Amino acid sequence: MKTVRDVLVRLLGRQRRAGHRRHRTSRLASLAPQPSTRWLVALALLAPAALAGAVVGTPSPAKAADPVIFTVGLTGDVDSFNPFLGFEANSYEMWALTYDYMVGYSMNDMSPKPDLATKWETSDDGKTWTFDIRSGVKWSDGVPLTANDIAYTYNRVITERVAGNNWSSYLSNVDSVTAPDDTHLVLQLSKPNATLPLLPIPIVPEHIWKNVDEKALKTYAAEPTGGQPVVGSGPFRLVEGTAGGSTYKFEANKDYWGGAPHVDQVVYQVYKTTDPMVQALIKGEIDFAEGITPLQVEALQDEPGISAHNGISPLFEEIGFNTGAIDTDTGQPIGDGNPALLDPKFRHALGYAVDTAQIVKTAYQGAAEPATTIVPTAYSKWHYEPTDEEKLTFDLDKAGAELDAAGYKLGSDGKRTMPDGSPIGKLRLFARSEEKPSVDTMDLFKEWLGQLGIDSEVTAMDSSTLGDKILEGTYDAFQWDWYVEPDPDGILADFTCDSRGGLSDSWYCDAGYDAMYAQQKQETDEATRVDTVMKMQQQLYDDSPYIVTAYTGIGEAVRNDRFACFQPQPDPGGVWLIQYGARNYTLLRPAKDAGDCDGVTTALGVAKEPGKSSESSSTLTYVVGGALLAVLLIGGGIVLIRRRSTAADRE
């Protein structure tokens, strides 16, 4: 296990959430069949196409004058095209196509790399950061993009609550942001910021957004109006689509400073579940399917013209609790959360009533890893692993004893009561209707709670509705997930008091935790910072605003007979498309034009050299001790990595 983690950290040494996003890809978690029934799975996938008289294979070549359109299937819509409002993974993907970052992410390990900033330097005391900004960049409407646009964006994040909801943690301790000229940006800090130069904040055009004041920002859609595309500086322009819709259309920005894309349009098609999306891929109606199940990946690997895999992604699944929703202006309680969940002892006891191994087996088809804490094992440097004595192992007897000790005893009717003897009542367990594993998890949780004498009811709803319920505080428990960046600051920030009413979905607030967060944020000695981060995770584990259930990955498939040049991120072993940044949207191209994929030898579909395979690495998958592992054969060497394969990414 240590070897797996140590290798992954070398591969992933990175950070997520170009802003942290909610995962939103749909997964159908039917139990995986035995190998002997694999042909039935393939038949089931192919049958609808056959019945419809569809021809499975390569479509007729397009005419030279036809636009090159790359169509992506998703199982989840966009909650907002406004980068200050949205939080779903798919929204982040659209922002990456539309806007640039000052500092981007590398493809190998997602470490910071130049983007709009070509280089940067910091003073010895860590309180002054100076960035050299790329010259000659223009917004898609032809207006020059300068350091002033970046300063404008960052200052809105610093000074406005709405603008700061997604991004303020990246600019903590920053007192001022100035642009002394068009090609330089200066950050002045009161204290060092340990996460700099990481700044994955979409840069918006001042000449457009200055007309959107703070009040209007709360509802500003940032969508095409009057037939005019959204103004950005990214490789594509949004020309059609509204938040919550089923189709989003982007056209290439031929004047993109990073080089014109090789396709004319990117179109996203939203599906309710993965089954029709997979059928659309087989029939050639879409070119890429994102967020498919491990079972579907396995079946598609035998399909001609299709490549499918499970990509590494630092994602965790959780059961979250309403620890006390408040009006952030008045501090007064809001919503109708069950009072038992205000007690960390009650929440922690429920951790012994969650069988993470069963959740992995049932909800994720065995293609995941039972989880413990909010920083995945992939980030071994930052991951806190509870000791055997601390670990919330599945033990209903222990859960009952912990509840008894905290005063939640069984009444004469066999139901748990509050410490004052009043009924606990029925806990409302909310799941995401578009995510079958979410529903499966809460169904299991309900069963286990019942064995403890706690009544509960599972209600499935779409992600948008669940998000509203959380902000209103009208829930008891929910199932969802988060991506985690290589640097844990983003996910740690979600549990600070200031995050309530924003990215916090548990409403957790503790002064001691906040003090540790502030300490790690400015700590420049890595060993000291790691120690603080471990203590923060330990506190969250004990207080249990979340019960973390599984570490999962992403299933993807692409029509390799149509498109090529998909570089994985992290490289090797990572995902092909829904990444940090928009690099692959400028790299991908028609398969016939693949060539050497601009020298990216690890890209899917790179042209073969004489006597060499088209793949720079091969993968052999097998099971060791119940864990799904992959062996990457790289340059003659063998590297073990954990292949956490589930269609559960980004969000």
Side-chain angles (χ1 to χ4, degrees), residues 69 73 150 274 336 636:
I69 303 173
I150 304 174
T274 55
D336 56 4

Side-chain angles (χ1 to χ4, degrees), residues 81 221-225 230 238-250:
F81 285 103
E223 296 170 352
T225 57
V230 173
L238 176 63
V239 295
E240 292 180 18
T242 59
S246 60
T247 305
Y248 315 115
K249 180 179 177 181
F250 290 79

Side-chain angles (χ1 to χ4, degrees), residues 375-640:
V375 177
T377 51
Y379 304 138
S380 61
K381 180 174 71 175
W382 300 108
H383 172 74
Y384 170 73
E385 184 66 17
T387 64
D388 290 342
E389 293 75 20
E390 296 169 332
K391 189 167 291 186
L392 293 169
T393 53
F394 182 60
D395 188 337
L396 289 173
D397 290 337
K398 185 171 180 61
E402 293 282 324
L403 289 170
D404 287 341
Y408 302 92
K409 300 182 182 297
L410 288 172
S412 58
D413 60 354
K415 303 298 182 184
R416 296 276 169 184
T417 64
M418 296 290 288
D420 64 3
S422 62
I424 288 179
K426 183 179 291 185
L427 297 184
R428 296 161 299 171
L429 313 181
F430 291 165
R432 291 167 291 153
S433 56
E434 69 269 29
E435 300 279 350
K436 189 172 184 296
S438 179
V439 178
D440 289 345
T441 296
M442 295 313 253
D443 282 342
L444 289 169
F445 191 36
K446 174 186 177 180
E447 178 183 337
W448 296 322
L449 289 175
Q451 294 179 56
L452 290 175
I454 299 173
D455 288 334
S456 61
E457 181 179 20
V458 177
T459 302
M461 61 191 70
D462 64 80
S463 295
S464 296
T465 301
L466 178 54
D468 292 340
K469 293 282 188 184
I470 289 171
L471 287 175
E472 295 163 358
T474 53
Y475 72 101
D476 295 322
F478 64 89
Q479 193 285 333
W480 218 329
D481 49 22
W482 284 113
Y483 271 85
V484 179
E485 298 171 338
D487 188 293
D489 181 80
I491 191 63
L492 294 173
D494 289 351
F495 296 92
T496 58
C497 298
D498 284 346
S499 291
R500 292 176 298 174
L503 286 174
S504 172
D505 52 16
S506 66
W507 297 89
Y508 180 78
C509 177
D510 180 83
Y513 179 89
D514 278 14
M516 286 191 288
Y517 176 78
Q519 179 183 344
Q520 68 82 32
K521 185 72 175 184
Q522 67 187 51
E523 182 56 65
T524 55
D525 179 76
E526 185 176 88
T528 302
R529 184 176 179 229
V530 167
D531 182 64
T532 302
V533 169
M534 295 295 182
K535 290 177 180 176
M536 294 172 72
Q537 291 179 77
Q538 182 177 22
Q539 177 170 326
L540 292 176
Y541 195 72
D542 292 340
D543 287 354
S544 302
Y546 282 178
I547 296 172
V548 182
T549 58
Y551 300 133
T552 54
I554 285 187
E556 301 174 297
V558 63
R559 297 287 320 201
N560 61 31
D561 54 356
R562 289 185 178 180
F563 290 96
C565 299
F566 296 87
Q567 183 180 7
Q569 187 193 54
D571 190 356
V575 293
W576 287 330
L577 194 63
I578 309 295
Q579 303 176 336
Y580 293 96
R583 165 61 173 157
N584 267 5
Y585 290 97
T586 59
L587 183 62
L588 71 88
R589 64 202 67 184
K592 63 181 179 62
D593 301 328
D596 68 351
C597 294
D598 295 345
V600 181
T601 59
T602 56
L604 177 70
V606 64
K608 296 180 181 179
E609 295 180 27
K612 292 187 178 182
S613 167
S614 63
E615 299 295 335
S616 61
S617 65
S618 59
T619 302
L620 303 175
T621 303
Y622 60 96
V623 174
V624 178
L628 183 64
L629 300 179
V631 180
L632 293 185
L633 308 178
I634 305 174
I638 298 180
V639 179
L640 285 177

Side-chain angles (χ1 to χ4, degrees), residues 214-234:
E214 185 172 7
K215 181 178 180 180
L217 188 63
K218 296 179 181 179
T219 56
Y220 183 55
E223 296 170 352
T225 57
Q228 295 299 310
V230 173
V231 176
S233 64

Side-chain angles (χ1 to χ4, degrees), residues 337-355:
N338 193 294
L341 293 169
L342 301 177
D343 184 356
K345 293 181 180 179
F346 180 85
R347 301 191 303 263
H348 190 75
L350 297 188
Y352 291 104
V354 176
D355 187 344

